[in-house]
Amino acid sequence: MARANRASASFLERNRVNPSDMMKLLVVAVLVALLALNAEGFRVRREVEEEEQGTLTKITDKVKSLYQGTVSTASGYLESIRGLKLEEKAKNIYLDTSTVVSTYANIAHDQIYHFFYTPQ
């Protein structure tokens, strides 16, 4: 038994922990525990904030949803107008009209020229 006490005493003497290391370990453990508690508290607080909406938040959300609806409706109208290809049709009408007008303007110009400058 004396031999067992010597063996265990020598083991404890060899593996003695420094008190400053224990204090550091204690500080790290306390910091990790506080971090975990703060993270848990932050998560619970955010859930409560999402459930309780004030009047200003409700009004803001309603205005945002109305704005999004207006923008999506206007975008739909623009897409339907682009689908009709109105720009291309207007361009074609302009080109056709300008061609016809220039043709008749040239005819009128020739008629006026021959009216005033008739060969004799």
Side-chain angles (χ1 to χ4, degrees), residues 26-43:
L26 179 65
V27 168
V28 169
V30 168
L31 288 176
V32 168
L34 286 175
L35 180 65
L37 288 175
N38 283 337
E40 181 75 22
F42 182 70
R43 184 173 58 215

Side-chain angles (χ1 to χ4, degrees), residues 53-105:
Q53 291 183 343
T55 306
L56 184 60
T57 305
K58 289 178 183 177
I59 292 172
T60 305
D61 290 343
K62 185 66 175 176
V63 168
K64 285 180 183 178
S65 67
L66 288 173
Y67 177 75
Q68 290 296 335
T70 304
V71 167
S72 65
T73 304
S75 297
Y77 288 154
L78 285 175
E79 289 301 319
S80 67
I81 288 172
R82 286 186 185 135
L84 296 175
K85 298 181 181 180
L86 292 178
E87 291 178 11
E88 185 178 332
K89 290 178 182 177
K91 188 176 182 182
N92 290 338
I93 290 172
Y94 172 76
L95 290 175
D96 293 342
T97 305
S98 63
T99 303
V100 169
V101 168
S102 66
T103 302
Y104 285 112

